Each structure stands twice: as structure tokens, then as C-alpha cells.
Amino acid sequence: MTRVRGNPQRWGLIAGLLAAVFFGLSAPLISVISREGSPLMIAALLYAGAAIALLMVRGVLGHQQEESPVQRRDFPPLLGLTILGGMVGPICLVQGLTLVSAGSASLLLNLEAVFTLLIAVLIGREHLSRKGLIATVLILTGAVLLTEGSLNGATVLGTVLIAGACLAWGIDNNLSQRLSLRDPLQIALLKAIGASVPMLILALAAGQTLPAWPALLALLSIGAVGYGLSIWLDLLALRHLGAARESVVFSTAPFVGLLFSVLVLREAFTGGMAMASALMVLGITVLLKEDHGHWHRHEPLRHAHRHRHDPAGGDPHHQHDHSGDELPADMPQGPCWHAHEHLHQPIAHEHAHVSDIHHRHGHRHGL
């Protein structure tokens, strides 16, 4: 059992920003060595590096997190996010990076936020305000600007491939958000192993060879940070922010990649990229200014996940009784975190909230 440390949404924001920075740096770095092997082999090695990093993190943390483990009913969505996010997305990205510049590719990765948000709203019942709609249009317009071949080599085929990767990751993000109540480190590790092993076997069976040692170590290192640590941190952000708002935070990733491409890789910063950047930054700014709060009702809900227990009150969503085996004898006197199955009683109240797993409700016009 661990003591409460700060506001969960604040920690979710920090985790999301770190995940965005790590992933944002990965795209331009991959572009440098994207021709050192087939897209299948490169994707396999990226997730192999992710698995190694997550195993190391798990060895350090052990069972300190008191998380709810993955259950049998979680395997279908876990399989879906592993195939789409762990295989289809990386393969499309690596292939697309051979056809567009690193800077243009970084900006095109903003489409992941748009797809994540649209799927969250249209299928996942998350709320999208007028500001959210305006922001989505702005980001999409910026992406369209990058589809012209004159804009620093962003060919149509390359754009389609990277957009396909973003769509796969958008579905992955929404599936991950549904599983975010489970142990995020366990989910990230299962995804990394489940993606890397089959792809590596397929690549070797097809006669493909491992790249030279410098490229091999580079790919494993990029995967460790840009995929392994990034996926784990992003799952924490999805838990506390919901898929729609997480997509806003993660929209900073493409601009990290763009800055790296221009400042480190010395790529040209074209007028088209400047216009696309301005539109996408404006869209992200509009979304960040959204503040959603109103009177709403929670229906009864039973599930298991890590949550805050505060004997003196606190989170009104988790004020419930505990049986003897749910609270250990050495439980701290103050607030703490723990995980067990519990029932949410019906409650109606008003507060600022995001579309996390506890706030999936309908909205009247204007809310």
C-alpha cells in the first residue's frame, strides 16, 4: 500500500507530457536508421527494446504499486491493442518515414490525437465540446497542408502510411483507456512482448537479418525509451485524464520531434511546415483551455482498480466500507492508495471532471 502523493490528475498530466516527449523524439531518430532493415524487423526491435526496459522497471518497482492485475476478460482488448498499436502502427510508421522528412512526419503524428479524440467521442461516449470540435478541425487542416509533395517531401503515400499508423494508435489508445484500471506496467509489458516476439519470428522466418550492432543497439535504445517507458507513462495518463484529454497532452509529441529534426538533424523548416505548426498549436491551445464541469449522476458500478482511500473523506467516488482482508494491519493512518474490487453507490454532484472511467455519462445540449 502506498501513500497518496499529490493530485492524480496532475500526476496524469506530468506522466502524459513525459510520454509525449519520449515518443516525440523517437520518430526522427527512427528516420535516421529506417533503412537499416525492413519495417517488420525495425518494429520488432523497437518493441524488444520496450520489453527489456519495462522488465527492468518491473524489477525495480516490484509490487510497490498495489495495482489490480489483468484479468481473463481483458485479453480481447489487450490482443487488439497489441496487434494495432504494437504491430500495425510501428510498421506503417517506419515505412512512412522512408517517404517523408522527419519534420513532416513528426507533424503528421498530430493525427493520432485527432483519431483518438474522435473515436473516444463517437464510440467511447466521451464528451466533445464546441472547443474540442474547433480544435479537431484546426489540427486536421494542418495535417492536410502536409500532404502536398512540395512541403518538404511529404508524399501522399507517406502521409497515408503515417495516418494509418495514427489511426491504429488512436484505436489502441481507446482500448488502453478501457484497460487503464489494470496494472499499467503489466499491460505495457504484455503489449511489448506480445508485439516483439511474433514480429521478430516472422522477420527471421522471412530471411531478414538483424542490422549491424550500432543500428541494433540504437533501435533497442529508442524502443526502450520512446516505446517502453512512453507506453507505461501514457497508460497512467489515460487512467487519470481519459482518452480525449490524453490525446491533447500527447499532441505535444509531434512538436518535440519537429524541434529535434530542425535543431539536431538540420532539416529545413519550410513555410508549409510553419503554417501547419501554427494551425496545430492553435488547435492544441483551444483544447487545453477547455474546462468541463456540471451536475451529473453516477450510476451503481462495481469494478476493481487502484484508488485513493482517505479515512477523513476526500474522493467522493471512493467512499466505501472495507472488509478485514482489504485493509492490512499496517495501514497508514492518513490517505493511501490500494486496489480491490468495490461497489460505487449512486451519487449526484457537481465538479470539474474529465471523461475517465467514472465519468461516462450523457450530456444535455450546451454542457
Side-chain angles (χ1 to χ4, degrees):
M1 182 171 293
T2 55
R3 292 182 181 273
V4 174
R5 296 179 181 269
N7 186 304
Q9 290 187 20
R10 184 180 302 122
W11 284 112
L13 177 61
I14 293 172
L17 287 172
L18 286 174
V21 170
F22 293 158
F23 180 74
L25 291 173
S26 68
L29 287 171
I30 294 170
S31 71
V32 176
I33 50 179
S34 60
R35 290 179 172 83
E36 294 293 328
S38 70
L40 180 62
M41 176 62 77
I42 291 176
L45 292 174
L46 288 171
Y47 270 93
I52 293 171
L54 292 168
L55 283 171
M56 294 174 63
V57 172
R58 191 175 184 86
V60 172
L61 295 181
H63 297 287
Q64 300 175 18
Q65 302 300 301
E66 291 291 340
E67 292 282 0
S68 177
V70 172
Q71 300 178 9
R72 181 176 299 178
R73 63 175 177 269
D74 299 326
F75 281 104
L78 182 59
L79 178 63
L81 66 89
T82 299
I83 293 174
L84 290 173
M87 299 180 183
V88 176
I91 291 173
C92 288
L93 174 65
V94 173
Q95 185 65 48
L97 284 169
T98 64
L99 301 173
V100 303
S101 69
S104 294
S106 294
L107 283 178
L108 284 168
L109 290 176
N110 274 295
L111 288 172
E112 179 182 346
V114 176
F115 287 134
T116 299
L117 190 147
L118 290 175
I119 294 169
V121 171
L122 298 177
I123 300 176
R125 295 179 56 211
E126 294 195 23
H127 179 61
L128 178 64
S129 66
R130 184 179 292 109
K131 287 184 178 179
L133 180 60
I134 293 172
T136 302
V137 172
L138 288 170
I139 295 173
L140 274 175
T141 303
V144 170
L145 284 176
L146 294 173
T147 61
E148 296 296 331
S150 60
L151 293 186
N152 205 24
T155 65
V156 173
L157 178 57
T159 299
V160 170
L161 285 168
I162 294 177
C166 291
L167 176 59
W169 283 325
I171 300 172
D172 172 5
N173 289 335
N174 280 273
L175 290 174
S176 297
Q177 204 278 329
R178 297 290 176 167
L179 294 177
S180 62
L181 296 182
R182 305 296 181 220
D183 183 350
L185 185 55
Q186 183 186 21
I187 292 173
L189 183 55
L190 289 173
K191 176 182 178 180
I193 295 175
S196 62
V197 172
M199 287 193 295
L200 189 58
I201 292 174
L202 286 174
L204 293 174
Q208 300 172 15
T209 58
L210 293 171
W213 277 107
L216 175 62
L217 293 177
L219 287 168
L220 291 175
S221 300
I222 295 170
V225 178
Y227 285 76
L229 297 183
S230 181
I231 292 172
W232 172 45
L233 291 169
D234 195 50
L235 282 166
L236 292 173
L238 284 164
R239 167 185 289 179
H240 296 303
L241 301 178
R245 284 181 180 266
E246 176 274 342
S247 70
V248 178
V249 176
F250 208 75
S251 291
T252 57
F255 298 103
V256 173
L258 176 63
L259 287 174
F260 185 87
S261 301
V262 173
L263 298 177
V264 179
L265 301 183
R266 302 297 183 181
E267 288 192 352
F269 187 66
T270 66
M273 292 171 70
M275 288 187 292
S277 297
L279 286 171
M280 290 176 170
V281 168
L282 180 59
I284 293 170
T285 303
V286 170
L287 271 175
L288 287 175
K289 289 184 175 294
E290 184 184 30
D291 186 17
H292 184 61
H294 59 87
W295 185 269
H296 55 278
R297 176 179 175 80
H298 296 268
E299 299 300 330
L301 175 65
R302 177 178 289 277
H303 58 186
H305 66 96
R306 184 172 183 260
H307 59 281
R308 184 175 184 263
H309 172 65
D310 187 351
D315 182 3
H317 305 99
H318 293 99
Q319 296 300 316
H320 50 253
D321 296 328
H322 295 84
S323 62
D325 59 346
E326 290 172 345
L327 295 178
D330 59 349
M331 184 191 74
Q333 295 298 315
C336 62
W337 290 92
H338 65 159
H340 64 89
E341 184 171 323
H342 54 278
L343 173 67
H344 291 263
Q345 298 293 342
I347 182 175
H349 57 181
E350 181 176 1
H351 65 94
H353 59 277
V354 297
S355 294
D356 58 21
I357 200 67
H358 297 108
H359 293 93
R360 298 295 176 84
H361 50 254
H363 292 79
R364 300 191 305 274
H365 179 69
L367 290 180

